């Protein structure tokens, strides 16, 4: 914690940002102060009532400009919306499919009932005789 305060006193906001090794290289060096330690120092400053100002001599406080570390004038963070689950992403298309299928459902139910009614054997003397013959073999 002391080394983090020392780095903040010496480097300021640059201690919270990753640095390039050379201007023309693609090698990056991690920040001198991790986000977890920075969050701890910030919380301690809020509790102590020193949030809003930073004293470089004592290392007490937190500068509000450090809350949103900027890179090239933009906030570092996710720019696109969260991915969500597949169920949430496809909800609208599933609802449209269900509504499309519900348009024909009354006709299909009626057709199903008519077909089942046609499959049933007709009543009458022949039907009663066949039923009686099947039952007498027991």
């Amino acid at each position: 914690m002391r080394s983090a305060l020392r780095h903040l006193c010496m480097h300021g906001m640059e201690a919270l940002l990753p640095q390039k090794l050379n201007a023309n290289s693609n090698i990056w060096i991690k920040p001198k102060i991790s986000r977890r330690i920075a969050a701890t120092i910030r919380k301690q400053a809020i509790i102590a009532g020193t949030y809003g100002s930073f004293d470089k001599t004592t290392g007490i406080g937190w500068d509000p400009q450090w809350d949103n570390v900027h890179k090239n004038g933009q906030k570092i963070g996710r720019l696109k919306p969260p991915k969500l689950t597949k169920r949430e992403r496809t909800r609208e298309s599933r609802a449209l499919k269900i509504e499309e299928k519900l348009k024909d459902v009354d006709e299909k139910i009626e057709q199903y009932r008519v077909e089942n009614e046609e499959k049933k054997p007709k009543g009458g003397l022949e039907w009663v005789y066949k039923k009686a013959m099947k039952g007498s073999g027991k």
Side-chain angles (χ1 to χ4, degrees), residues 8-85:
L8 273 177
C9 291
M10 291 171 55
H11 303 288
M13 188 190 302
E14 290 182 6
L16 301 170
L17 292 172
Q19 304 292 321
K20 269 195 168 185
L21 184 63
N22 296 326
N24 57 359
S25 72
N26 288 333
I27 299 173
W28 287 87
I29 300 172
K30 64 183 180 178
K32 291 179 174 56
I33 301 172
S34 69
R35 290 184 182 183
R36 181 178 64 86
I37 299 295
T40 305
I41 295 171
R42 180 181 182 273
K43 288 174 193 173
Q44 288 176 351
I46 291 172
I47 292 170
T50 58
Y51 179 82
S53 63
F54 182 73
D55 185 13
K56 286 191 172 190
T57 57
T58 59
I60 296 174
W62 183 264
D63 193 352
Q65 293 177 347
W66 299 340
D67 286 340
N68 297 324
V69 177
H70 295 276
K71 181 180 179 183
N72 298 333
Q74 295 180 350
K75 269 189 183 179
I76 297 173
R78 191 175 177 118
L79 298 176
K80 61 182 183 178
K83 185 175 178 181
L84 304 175
T85 61

Side-chain angles (χ1 to χ4, degrees), residues 69-110:
V69 177
H70 295 276
K71 181 180 179 183
N72 298 333
Q74 295 180 350
K75 269 189 183 179
I76 297 173
R78 191 175 177 118
L79 298 176
K80 61 182 183 178
K83 185 175 178 181
L84 304 175
T85 61
K86 184 174 182 181
R87 180 175 177 265
E88 292 169 336
R89 288 192 312 259
T90 60
R91 182 177 182 178
E92 190 173 329
S93 62
R94 286 185 289 123
L96 292 174
K97 283 182 188 176
I98 291 170
E99 288 177 3
E100 192 68 34
K101 289 180 180 180
L102 282 177
K103 290 179 182 176
D104 310 345
V105 81
D106 291 333
E107 297 169 5
K108 288 182 179 179
I109 290 173
E110 187 62 34

